[in-house]
Amino acid sequence: MSASTALDTLLGLKKVLDSAIEEVSAEWKAHGVPASLQDPSFTAQSPEDTLPSPRLYEATKRALGAADMLQALLRDPRDQLMACAAQYFESRALHAASIARIPDILHQASLEGKVDGLSAQELSQKTGYEENKCGLHSFHSRIMRLLATNHIFNQTGPARFSNNRTSVALINNAPLASYIDLYGGEWYASSQHLIEAFKDNSLALERAAFTRDRIYNSQGKTYWDYNDVNSARHDMFATAMSGSAQTNLFALLNDYPWDKLGKATVVDVGGGIGALSLPLLERYENLSVVIQDRESVIEQAQEHWKINLPAAVEDKRATFQVADFFQQNIVNGAEIYMLRYIMDDWNDEACIKILSAIKASMTHQSKVLIVEALLIPAWLPPSAISTLKIAPEPLLPNYGSPQRFIHCRDLNMMNLINGTERTASEMTSVVERAGLVLQKVWECRGAVHVTECVLPSST
Ligand SMILES: C[S@@+](CC[C@H](N)C(=O)[O-])C[C@H]1O[C@@H](n2cnc3c(N)ncnc32)[C@H](O)[C@@H]1O
């Protein structure tokens, strides 16, 4: 790492910010300027409309990384540490607002002509949250003013709030709200056991922090068992999975060359309800899909497709199989075996078994597509430069803040199921130990990558 002074870094960040802002504004002018941050008007924008051009995506990453690094540089280190320690209260406040559906309530108020939003008292009446819980200032005022300070909601008066561009993303958006509710609810609750889990050298599923919580684990159940016995939660999890994909779905549909596959079968291994394969079939008519999962999930998937893409079920472009991905795949010689958000659920040994079970059914025309984020750390070996885009100095090589969520997700994987996000070299090692070759990493306009693997040419 080159030793640079704080002043070098400050001026370097100015340069990065200046050029990134220049590019962002040029792209906005060319392709459309988004709503202002304070704008509470809800337009049911198609997610595809929010897919940035490659240049805008890259410039935005630089701007975000530089702005975040600037805070670390300018803040008193003690303030930086205290702010980090207290940050979970922002998450708690968002959870409280989301679970009470405050964005929908404020949206309804705006439709009724209340352009300045609602008072904390009115919000209390509509949500049942105790108005004077904390004395003079109502509970709502307190959670909402914290969120408004974090650019989620507008504060329009001493105790009055309206939606802003960020909070409108939650209007009528049950999938995203479910994802936020899982993070703020049971995933948050189990994270209190993380320190105990850190001290345990077992990577077994049932030893994860989640299963240490006796509320969930009275009979030694794992996360997936718990999902199965609680039907409301089971549905919520499936919905949340599609919510988690909202910002990267269209990047995945556009940035991998699905159209070059021709007439091909995609086996969606551990496919859930097919949150990616359904829009894939909608867009690419040469593709057909086989969704494989556990029995309870396959029932859910069939229902989901019957409602959302019945034609594909009727003409058998979409078929469904109960299958255990630790056993040899029952579809031989498919062009694509897709593993989306699967590898990060499991430790290396389990992933090697999952890949080997697919490998046994592959031909030399088959590919395994691992669709999940590759974790990019704040230090990268020179070899990574050929695989991944590296940020310019003085930014961290992984751009910093654009990678923060994936690092949080990594800890959550450990929290729930002793799973892990992987770096490019960790992924390469698992793939090679399973006897496959990592052919290419497709960087998409979002945190999720498509890692393409094939059989070695000698087999
Ligand atoms: C994180 S979800 C991902 C679902 C889907 N691929 C997606 O991207 O929305 C993991 C999936 O793995 C499935 N799963 C877990 N163990 C499995 C097994 N042994 N065989 C097949 N599927 C399994 C779960 O039921 C769940 O649907």
Side-chain angles (χ1 to χ4, degrees), residues 224 241 270-272 293-294 297 323-326 340-342 345:
W224 300 122
M241 280 302 98
D293 209 296
R294 297 170 310 120
V297 180
D324 176 1
F325 52 44
F326 290 107
R340 190 181 81 142
Y341 300 161
I342 299 295
D345 288 348

Side-chain angles (χ1 to χ4, degrees), residues 430-447:
V430 170
V431 167
E432 287 176 354
R433 285 175 64 203
L436 292 170
V437 174
L438 193 156
Q439 181 160 272
K440 180 170 166 110
V441 172
W442 296 81
E443 282 200 67
C444 302
R445 283 167 277 174

Side-chain angles (χ1 to χ4, degrees), residues 356-373:
S356 304
I358 295 175
K359 183 184 171 219
S361 299
M362 288 169 74
T363 66
H364 283 283
Q365 279 65 52
S366 306
K367 287 176 178 158
V368 176
L369 300 185
I370 299 169
V371 184
E372 64 184 40

